[in-house]
Amino acid sequence: MAIWYEVEKTTDGVNNFLNCNWEFHDFRIEKIEHIPVKNMTEMFLKYDTMKKGVILRFIGVYNIHITEYHESEWIDGSIVIIGKNNSLLWLNNDNWGEDSEEHLDELKAYNTWIEADKIFWAVTDADGHPIEMPENRIHQVLYNFGKQEEKHFSLKEFNGDWDSIITP
């Protein structure tokens, strides 16, 4: 299996990305680094077990807004919106409803968000180093109220060259 994956700009692609990562529920933002010369932002999110995490790599960043965080703040969930200009907007807020697009500016005002051309991501160890995707992240078995539920996610592997993707 691959180490890095790309978020596909389709509803299914976005849903696979979010659902495979539990919509980032019970993760917290450990680090955000913007590299202007590469027009890239990296975000390290750590899971509540403190044994694993996810790196999000945003390429071709249009805009970014970072709110102040405290060490104890955990994410309730997140969404990804495919923009009119075919961009991807990752928003640290899971309160998206039918009328939310009308309130997008309001949601963006008090949440961390990044809008970019592309989002790549990798599962990490506790220290934020990318690792090979564990099989149980692609084929998940969940138990809800004593009932077993199986989920399978089709993810777009990235095996390309970062130098051709990250351009100043």
Side-chain angles (χ1 to χ4, degrees):
M1 277 186 238
I3 292 180
W4 285 94
Y5 294 85
E6 182 176 357
V7 177
E8 294 182 88
K9 293 181 183 182
T10 64
T11 302
D12 286 343
V14 166
N15 288 336
N16 276 320
F17 162 65
L18 290 172
N19 293 329
C20 179
N21 291 293
W22 312 295
E23 296 176 358
F24 298 100
H25 180 79
D26 288 337
F27 282 75
R28 83 170 170 216
I29 298 171
E30 289 285 311
K31 178 180 171 184
I32 299 175
E33 180 181 17
H34 181 68
I35 305 161
V37 70
K38 295 183 178 181
N39 196 17
M40 176 180 88
T41 301
E42 274 197 0
M43 181 185 305
F44 173 46
L45 299 132
K46 200 169 210 179
Y47 191 56
D48 68 354
T49 62
M50 306 308 280
K51 295 180 182 176
K52 57 187 166 189
V54 173
I55 289 179
L56 302 181
R57 185 174 280 176
F58 299 87
I59 306 295
V61 176
Y62 291 102
N63 213 334
I64 183 171
H65 181 258
I66 301 169
T67 58
E68 181 178 336
Y69 280 92
H70 304 284
E71 191 173 314
S72 62
E73 289 189 46
W74 297 95
I75 296 173
D76 289 331
S78 64
I79 60 169
V80 173
I81 301 165
I82 302 170
K84 292 179 176 91
N85 61 352
N86 209 27
S87 65
L88 294 168
L89 173 71
W90 180 87
L91 178 68
N92 174 19
N93 186 302
D94 68 340
N95 296 322
W96 191 259
E98 289 182 21
D99 65 342
S100 293
E101 196 157 343
E102 298 169 22
H103 304 285
L104 183 57
D105 289 337
E106 190 177 321
L107 288 171
K108 288 169 67 175
Y110 61 88
N111 288 287
T112 294
W113 56 270
I114 301 172
E115 183 178 13
D117 283 326
K118 297 180 180 194
I119 302 173
F120 295 91
W121 63 282
V123 174
T124 71
D125 63 14
D127 297 320
H129 304 292
I131 59 172
E132 189 171 304
M133 175 69 74
E135 182 70 26
N136 66 358
R137 284 294 285 273
I138 294 177
H139 306 286
Q140 295 181 14
V141 178
L142 309 170
Y143 295 92
N144 291 321
F145 301 106
K147 184 177 179 182
Q148 182 176 317
E149 185 179 336
E150 294 183 24
K151 294 185 176 186
H152 171 76
F153 302 102
S154 297
L155 305 171
K156 182 179 180 182
E157 295 182 5
F158 174 71
N159 295 314
D161 175 30
W162 284 116
D163 290 336
S164 66
I165 300 294
I166 303 171
T167 56

